[in-house]
Amino acid sequence: MSDEEVIRKETQQKLYHLQYKLENADGSDTGEHVIIATVRPETIMGDTAVCVHPNDERYKHIHGKFAIVPLINRRIPIITDEYVTMDFGTGALKVTPAHDMNDNQLGQKYGLEVVDIFNDDGTLNSAAEIYVGLDRFDARKKIVAQLAAEGYLVKTEDYTSEVGYSERTDAVVEPRLSLQWWVDMKKLSGPALDAVMNEEINFHPAKFKNLYRHWMENIKDWCISRQLWWGHRIPAYYAPDGSFAVAASKDDALKQLQSSNSSLQSHDIRQDDDCLDTWFSSWLWPFEVFKGLSDPGNAEVNYYYPTNTLVTAPEIIFFWVARMIMAGKKFMGGKPFNDVYFTGIVRDKQGRKMSKSLGNSPDLLALIDQYGADAVRFGIMIASPAGNDILFDESSLEQGRNFNNKLWNALKLIKMWEARQAEAATNHKPQTTNFAIDWFENRLNLVKTEVNEMMVQFRLSEALKTIYSLIWDDFCSWYLEWIKPGFEQPIDAAVYQKTLVYFEELMELLQPFMPFISEEIYHLLQDRKDDLCVKQVAPLQSFDSSILEAGELLKQGISALRDARNKIQVKPKDPIKLHIQATAEESYRAIENILLKQVNAESIFYTAETVPNTIVVAVEKDKFFIETERQLDTATLQAELLKDLEHQKKFLESVLKKLSNERFVQNAKPEVIALERKKQADAEARIKTIEEGLKNL
RNA sequence: GGGAGCAUAGCUCAGCUGGUUUAGAGCAUCUGCCUUACAAGCAGAGGGUCCGCGGUUCGAACCCGUGUGCUCCCA
């Protein structure tokens, strides 16, 4: 059984002090004894040495002598090793190589005999010589009684130590030696290590390369025998004399064995009872699913191998990923896949792994009922960068649900326009909003490029965040508001058609993350015969950054004016008059209509001078003057402006400090310096604006 | 015991090659809005000694060293 399945528990035991008679090398009695302490007196029949620490003064005189195991009178050597703890028990250790891991290592080091005294069922076998057939615990009682009766038991004390129990049956685990099959890994690991270190195979995230390297450089041989009923039985066959053959069938094995012993018959040979480790079949998976090993070079394996991307958990890098790479290199002569994407483990809010015994796994179907399948996908994906565990929290599912709702409402809005657009053709003259269309088209192309880059790099949660923000912020909060016609006004047919196309393209981006709602909206927007889930993605298109910059100016202007309105408590319904002192008036031509509508201004004037009795707002290098009928609370305003002024001055100071540093100017890249100069100019302009604003109050 | 990783806002986390207006998102908080798509919403705001210390650099959340705390893996 696996070490993993051994549960160590503090257990109350008895420590028995037993005395072993000592003999000289020539077999004569020394008249002395050595006392050992043990919790498992029934294993003394497996003892093949007594070990003491070489520096232990108490035992120096017995080095090289022999001890006699009580009851069975086996003569065993006294050996010395620093492994022995002098102050535990009596400082003399009985060595039982067949039934203790550490003793086994000592046995190998000193070439000790191995005497296995147990049967598979925990009863004593004939090697024990006494109490043969008795259960180990019954034997313990009887042996203690006999040792006491015959004067070998010197002392008994209470003792607590860790004992291994079976995870499944809670039985005390008895270490035993058994015959197992192993794979020599050193021959396989080299090419597999190189493949990952040379980035022939790419790990995502790459941090797992370190872990992989350490494992591969310190690789140990692989025990592939498993004492289980279910699995592939080990294809090894044994002859009565202990010789063996590994073969695909019993007949083949017999033929092999007959070459050295022609009298062997089929009924003489016996197949190994053990099964192969489950990973021993799993490591064949990338090619044997296409019969790449059993039917080499067939059309399927030629087409599919190497595969693209393995998606798996970091905890099985060693068990599975490394071994698949080794098997691929060994049996196929090449890597099994190009990329490996490691997902995180979903944990509960307290960071615990989800498990049946803790009962902390969420009911996925119930969550899907509650939030929707797309919302559950969204909630998990938005929170899981590659290779990092995620703490499961329903609030991200809620975010997904709200996003679904947002998408439906955007669809509802656009569908409303469908009808009004039809009416529009006759009487009304539609308003033009070309800037909004141009801007969103470029914005869409830019974000598509970014998302594509992220997908190539397996930054999936970042890609989803980017798409989410494109849809919610850019499309819904900005674009739809910009093109939205006035109350019961028609929409320009061209704008409407463009909007349908944009919405479709957004659904195309979203499809891998939220397949259901994106497909549904795709079909509801326009009657279509094709399906989004199998649609070929259109090639990326370039974008015009000057239009994007104009869009940024527009957004900033709107936000700054809304913020100012908020602060001076002018209600959204109260109109204002807007005066703009612009460094470049033409940069406002395309966007002024949208700006006017979005900040509820009744008119826009361009001015070269400061406008008295207004509130000043700085946007980039320009100044916006808000003229309003409302009575203003100048005290709060002044405080706000002073706070902002302070901030800007500190900022300017830090920029100037950098620029006055000669070494910075000498060493930094020109574009970095240019940026710092722009920061300086902007900050100075803003400070001037704020100071004028203060004067204006 | 061996190894790997993590530490950034109240919470959960992004921040790719050191320089992008003295750090970003979601949730939570605060202010104002039941505005004809959406109150599961809209418009704004506040909130950070980027774990401590030392170093490299013109420049550090990011690179190096060290300490502390936590997590995972060990055939």
Side-chain angles (χ1 to χ4, degrees), chain A residues 155 220 241 328 424 448 566:
Chain A
K155 187 166 80 168
K220 293 179 193 168
D241 68 354
K448 275 185 182 173
N566 231 348

Side-chain angles (χ1 to χ4, degrees), chain A residues 175 363 539 541 564 570 695:
Chain A
D363 180 344
Q541 286 176 24
V570 173
K695 256 185 260 165

Side-chain angles (χ1 to χ4, degrees), chain A residues 18-22 33-37 44 46-53 59 62-70 74-81 83-84 90-97 103 106 110 112:
Chain A
L18 307 176
Q19 63 177 11
Y20 288 26
K21 203 172 70 168
L22 288 172
H33 295 88
V34 63
I35 297 172
I36 58 93
I44 63 169
D47 287 358
T48 54
V50 168
C51 190
V52 295
H53 196 283
Y59 298 117
I62 68 166
H63 292 183
K65 295 187 176 170
F66 291 83
I68 306 298
V69 179
R74 179 187 297 133
R75 187 176 133 115
I76 58 175
I78 308 287
I79 61 171
T80 61
D81 194 278
Y83 164 72
V84 178
T90 63
L93 171 76
K94 72 193 255 322
V95 184
T96 320
D103 289 13
L106 273 179
Y110 297 101
L112 299 177

Side-chain angles (χ1 to χ4, degrees), chain A residues 340-381:
Chain A
V340 185
Y341 179 81
F342 293 107
T343 62
I345 298 170
V346 180
R347 297 175 177 280
D348 69 9
K349 255 185 157 173
Q350 288 133 58
R352 299 175 307 181
K353 229 172 174 171
M354 296 197 168
S355 73
K356 273 180 270 181
S357 52
L358 282 173
N360 57 351
S361 307
D363 180 344
L364 208 49
L365 293 176
L367 289 174
I368 289 172
D369 283 344
Q370 193 183 345
Y371 294 101
D374 279 337
V376 173
R377 284 174 68 107
F378 177 97
I380 295 294
M381 298 208 69

Side-chain angles (χ1 to χ4, degrees), chain A residues 237-241 250-251 253-255 257-258 261-271:
Chain A
Y237 298 83
Y238 302 91
D241 68 354
K250 192 174 186 183
D251 287 345
L254 183 61
K255 274 178 208 149
L257 289 165
Q258 279 170 338
N261 179 357
S262 57
S263 67
L264 275 180
Q265 296 299 309
S266 181
H267 62 259
D268 293 328
I269 68 171
R270 171 183 70 77
Q271 187 176 358

Side-chain angles (χ1 to χ4, degrees), chain A residues 6-13 39-40 136-137 140 159-166 170-174:
Chain A
V6 178
I7 309 299
R8 303 187 70 87
K9 291 194 279 197
E10 288 274 315
T11 305
Q12 275 281 348
Q13 297 177 91
V39 293
R40 296 161 71 208
R136 54 189 170 153
F137 296 122
R140 180 179 295 176
Y159 175 66
T160 305
S161 72
E162 288 206 325
V163 174
Y165 291 82
S166 162
D170 206 35
V172 172
V173 171
E174 202 73 54

Side-chain angles (χ1 to χ4, degrees), chain A residues 383-508:
Chain A
S384 46
N388 280 12
D389 290 355
I390 74 162
L391 296 195
F392 181 76
D393 186 346
E394 285 193 28
S395 72
S396 69
L397 271 48
E398 216 168 297
Q399 193 188 346
R401 180 199 60 187
N402 295 353
F403 188 38
N404 271 304
N405 197 42
K406 188 74 181 177
L407 291 166
W408 279 121
N409 280 304
L411 179 71
K412 190 171 132 195
L413 174 67
I414 291 167
K415 280 282 151 186
M416 271 171 48
W417 295 340
E418 189 174 25
R420 284 199 203 129
Q421 179 214 211
E423 289 163 17
T426 49
N427 343 346
H428 303 278
K429 193 175 180 192
Q431 69 177 125
T432 51
T433 40
N434 287 331
F435 177 79
I437 295 175
D438 287 350
W439 173 77
F440 194 77
E441 182 157 328
N442 282 283
R443 180 84 196 136
L444 189 57
N445 286 338
L446 167 67
V447 174
K448 275 185 182 173
T449 308
E450 288 173 358
V451 167
N452 185 60
E453 188 65 18
M454 289 169 186
M455 296 294 270
V456 166
Q457 294 175 28
F458 291 89
R459 288 153 63 188
L460 306 185
S461 68
E462 273 182 80
L464 178 54
K465 274 179 191 167
T466 306
I467 295 166
Y468 172 82
S469 165
L470 175 70
I471 293 175
W472 198 303
D473 302 330
D474 291 316
F475 187 67
C476 293
S477 296
W478 295 118
Y479 174 76
L480 290 181
E481 293 299 328
W482 292 352
I483 63 161
K484 190 190 268 182
F487 182 56
E488 295 200 332
Q489 294 293 304
I491 190 161
D492 184 311
V495 173
Y496 176 72
Q497 284 305 320
K498 276 283 186 188
T499 304
L500 291 184
V501 172
Y502 295 158
F503 206 166
E504 275 185 14
E505 291 185 29
L506 290 171
M507 291 306 96
E508 191 176 307

Side-chain angles (χ1 to χ4, degrees), chain A residues 661-673:
Chain A
N661 182 340
E662 272 179 41
R663 289 204 283 177
F664 169 74
V665 182
Q666 275 168 21
N667 294 320
K669 284 181 274 184
E671 60 265 33
V672 174
I673 297 171

